[in-house]
Amino acid sequence: MLTWSQLETFCNDGQLVRWKAGERSLSVGGRGLYMLTDVHSRFTERPWPDASDEDPRRTRERRGAMRNVLERYVKGQAIRLNYDLKELGTLNRDQGMRGYWEFRSQGPMTETRLFGFVPLPGAFVATDFQSRAEFESAADWAAQRAACGQRWDSLTSGAPFMNTPWPVDGRSALAAYLDRADD
Amino acid sequence: MTDPRQLAFLANLPPLTREEQDDACFRVRDRLWAEIGSLYDQYEEEQDLSYADVGRRISRSRSQVQRWLAAPMNMTLSSAGLLAEGLDADLLVLLQPRAAGEPMRANRIHPCEAAKARVEQFRALDERALGFEETTPPENAAAPTRGTATASVIRWSRHGPA
């Protein structure tokens, strides 16, 4: 597994950006959310996925919805399994998707997904950001997983990501991925 | 009448951006939903609680309870109150002023990381003194000071604070 120091080094090298939850909010017991540089750019810049035909107010709401999920994550607050954060191999016991996660913003507006891997407990590395509507078939999900896997390997030279305990189907299993472990 | 000097700290803060306003507006629903939903998830996992069980207690349909708990967008102040009561939990709200002089911790840096950053800084200084290549230290934990407030929801169940 990677270490916190390695993650910070990736940031210093410009390969990752550590996402910050607002400028002035307190953060206690925080976790680390890192995004590949281009993912961070797409997340922070307009337009968001599928926003072209959307009511601008709706777009603002769903941007706020996703940011609030991420804010709860980095501040060490409540994260709901399968609503806020989902391990994508668990439902179908799919070993090919094992250890691959998504942050989710809920409807009714167009939902978004922030995909990535858990390098160590309490940290998340986002490797892509997409609209949920992009994925219609199992092949779409498999292609997305493969692309994200390549990006992870490119960043870390193939370092392992967390994939145990598995399946992640309860609060205690989720806590193993959320509760921060220090180097 | 309020002494204008007491509000000086607000005058020293920048106006909220559009996105900060959006986040602030959504935050109450989001936190209520997350806390109440987490307690429901806990009871569901440990005691097989169902949407119908909660619905019966608050005279609402199973589907209504499910809808409220499915997404923050569906949460309202009244539904939050009903659900908290239905789950036999007290809802406490804590508004925490961001004390002036409190370091800004937009994203908390663990003391271990801060210590490592300092070690790296010293190492860089040593290497520079010895003629080695200079290294860039990680982002430092030190941060400017702020003075506003943060709000959160504390969830209590009949067993005490969750």
Side-chain angles (χ1 to χ4, degrees), chain A residues 17-171:
Chain A
V17 177
R18 187 165 183 168
W19 190 77
K20 296 183 177 180
E23 286 296 312
R24 295 184 306 282
S25 53
L26 295 176
S27 177
V28 178
R31 306 170 182 127
L33 174 62
Y34 300 84
M35 298 182 186
L36 290 175
T37 309
D38 67 301
V39 176
H40 182 264
S41 296
R42 275 185 283 139
F43 188 84
T44 53
E45 301 299 324
R46 290 181 170 83
W48 259 30
D50 277 356
S52 54
D53 298 327
E54 192 174 51
D55 177 350
R57 190 175 62 89
R58 278 292 195 205
T59 305
R60 286 172 50 203
E61 282 179 340
R62 67 188 174 102
R63 289 170 66 94
M66 179 56 101
R67 282 197 301 264
N68 267 279
V69 174
L70 303 185
E71 185 178 299
R72 273 190 276 119
Y73 177 81
V74 300
K75 290 182 176 180
Q77 296 175 348
I79 292 291
R80 294 186 69 190
L81 179 63
N82 296 334
Y83 289 93
D84 294 319
L85 186 59
K86 182 177 183 179
E87 202 274 345
L88 292 167
T90 292
L91 182 62
N92 296 321
R93 301 296 191 264
D94 182 351
Q95 289 285 350
M97 302 287 271
R98 180 171 175 171
Y100 183 48
W101 293 77
E102 64 176 13
F103 275 102
R104 304 156 61 97
S105 72
Q106 304 293 327
M109 60 283 216
T110 307
E111 298 181 11
T112 47
R113 299 289 185 262
L114 186 68
F115 296 101
F117 302 91
V118 176
L120 75 167
F124 188 89
V125 172
T127 51
D128 205 358
F129 176 58
Q130 297 282 352
S131 163
R132 169 65 182 82
E134 297 290 319
F135 305 97
E136 296 178 347
S137 68
D140 292 338
W141 288 100
Q144 178 68 10
R145 165 65 183 83
C148 282
Q150 286 177 355
R151 307 198 81 195
W152 168 268
D153 288 341
S154 174
L155 172 73
T156 67
S157 303
F161 46 81
M162 270 190 80
N163 62 8
T164 302
W166 194 83
V168 187
D169 51 8
R171 293 157 50 87

Side-chain angles (χ1 to χ4, degrees), chain B residues 68-133:
Chain B
W68 282 338
L69 291 173
M73 287 297 292
N74 300 335
M75 186 63 73
T76 65
L77 294 180
S78 57
S79 60
L82 267 177
L83 289 168
E85 200 61 37
L87 292 168
D88 196 24
D90 286 324
L91 189 63
L92 309 179
V93 176
L94 172 68
L95 191 64
Q96 174 73 56
R98 294 173 191 145
E102 181 81 6
M104 182 178 77
R105 290 175 292 177
N107 206 341
R108 173 181 176 267
I109 294 183
H110 192 276
C112 290
E113 287 180 58
K116 282 176 186 168
R118 281 194 290 275
V119 169
E120 289 298 323
Q121 281 180 314
F122 286 129
R123 181 179 297 161
L125 288 172
D126 285 346
E127 289 176 348
R128 191 162 47 188
L130 294 170
F132 297 151
E133 186 179 351

Side-chain angles (χ1 to χ4, degrees), chain B residues 15 21 41 50 57 60 63-64 67 91 103 110 127 131 142 153:
Chain B
Q21 293 177 48
D41 294 343
S50 69
R57 180 136 203 272
R60 297 294 189 278
S63 60
Q64 179 63 75
R67 181 172 174 278
L91 189 63
H110 192 276
E127 289 176 348
V153 177

